[in-house]
Amino acid sequence: MTRQTSDALYDRACKVMPGGVNSPVRAFRGVGGTPVFFKEAEGPYITDVDGNRYIDYVASWGPMLQGFSYKPVVDAVRDQAQLALSFGAPTEIEVKMAELICDLVPSIEKVRMVNSGTEATMSAIRLARGITGRDKIVKFEGGFHGHGDSLLVKAGSGVLTLGLPDSPGVPADLAQHTLTVPYNDLDAIERVFNAYGQAIAAIIVEPVAGNMGCIPPLPGFLEGLRSQSTDHGALLIFDEVMTGFRVAPGGAQQLYNVQPDLTTLGKVIGGGLPVGAFGGRADYMDQLAPVGSIYQSGTLSGNPLAMQSGYALLSSLYAAQYAKLEQQTTRLVTELKRLAEANGIDVVINDVCAMFSIFFTDQPTVSCFSDVHAANTDRYRKFFHGMLAEGVYFAPSPFEAAFVSTCHSDDILDVTLMSADKVFSQLA
Ligand SMILES: *Cc1c(COP(=O)(O)O)cnc(C)c1O
């Protein structure tokens, strides 16, 4: 398998784009080597610019839940393109989209569309701060909520210390308002509320962590966040940019039966076009401009192309498909574990419905960021490149989830498993 055209494009890209990419993880720094440039895709397959075809487990980071080039989505986008690309004024499809989201996710009574997950979380946090009149927010170690200033923050030296910027350019004055605690650790949440309760506007959490690999919430964790935030007058924000419409039609909040005050959405909701959304209780959402005084806006927000794309995808996801997605993921994960063991490779594989992650570790479980860090990232690197050479595309980073689509049939899984068996044997 040669990738001459990819390599040539990467050389050109590096001259005119920082790192040759428009988003860092694409640059393969997490696994080494040079990125693959893609050209077309169909169902579970993606094809690169050199004509190599791969079985895909990235799904454009989530949206390709029905596989690539899903006809209802492509048709909806083409039909809309012929009518109009954009007005920056109200359209019917925005109303249909909002009605569908409110139907699918009962905790969302009103919703506002934005253009990315980052915009959704930034806006939800401004809303929470505006509603409560408080400045501090709580997030979790290894939790990722896009690149907004208040969320690009790492833990201080102890659980009760204020956050530090996780990137140059984030003002320390702002980072100090973000408190970072370990995922799945309710005791830490209690300590943070005891120390700063009256100052905390919101907890923001991925209800299934997905940006340090897939880490499900431990039993009682989400319920504990719900009761602690209610007790202290803080809002609970579920960042479902990854989990929304991926782990259940109503998101992780449906799967675990815990209702947040605000929800952020992205990825799947655009069907492959850049879309985000945030929503929640009507009385909270009505504090946004133009009804209320908390300002938020977007020239191209609710853009008709993106709304048609998202609407076509979301309205295709009837509940029965999630049972199938879960069944296929469970089969893949169970067999991967068996093959790893047969080859003498220690792994923990976490999965929730249509997402999973392989951690190369001899620990019994992976349930927080420090567990993730104890895993062998060099082994993931070798696994990634081994699978790539076999024609199977996993995320180019040990800290990402893998995604299964409704096109991942038994045949596709069989090919994946045969490749994995071979690659595991090379790792041993
Ligand atoms: C991807 C992601 C984001 C950021 O979304 P963008 O569209 O990349 O800005 C935020 N939160 C979570 C949980 C995500 O997975």
Side-chain angles (χ1 to χ4, degrees), residues 116-119 121 144-147 206 211 239 241-242 267:
S116 69
T118 296
E119 254 190 82
T121 58
F144 178 73
H145 308 287
H147 65 91
E206 293 176 74
N211 287 285
D239 181 356
V241 169
M242 187 181 290
K267 298 193 170 105

Side-chain angles (χ1 to χ4, degrees), residues 102-124:
C102 294
D103 254 13
L104 288 169
V105 188
S107 76
I108 301 184
E109 294 171 350
K110 287 195 174 179
V111 63
R112 177 157 289 175
M113 305 306 305
V114 293
N115 305 292
S116 69
T118 296
E119 254 190 82
T121 58
M122 279 167 42
S123 307

Side-chain angles (χ1 to χ4, degrees), residues 291-360:
V291 188
S293 53
I294 302 169
Y295 195 71
Q296 191 280 335
S297 68
T299 302
L300 296 185
S301 293
N303 165 279
L305 273 190
M307 294 300 95
Q308 293 287 5
S309 168
Y311 185 82
L313 181 61
L314 294 192
S315 52
S316 76
L317 299 170
Y318 47 95
Q321 285 194 313
Y322 288 86
K324 181 73 178 166
L325 281 167
E326 179 167 23
Q327 183 189 321
Q328 294 303 84
T329 310
T330 303
R331 180 183 164 221
L332 181 61
V333 164
T334 308
E335 296 278 297
L336 282 171
K337 283 179 189 163
R338 191 181 59 75
L339 292 172
E341 193 182 335
N343 284 289
I345 303 290
D346 290 323
V347 292
V348 168
I349 309 183
N350 290 341
D351 66 297
V352 178
C353 193
M355 60 192 275
F356 70 95
S357 284
I358 305 176
F359 301 97
F360 292 95

Side-chain angles (χ1 to χ4, degrees), residues 253-273:
Q253 53 196 273
Q254 179 185 36
L255 195 61
Y256 297 101
N257 195 24
V258 176
Q259 305 288 299
D261 299 295
L262 298 174
T263 299
T264 55
L265 296 165
K267 298 193 170 105
V268 178
I269 204 177
L273 291 185

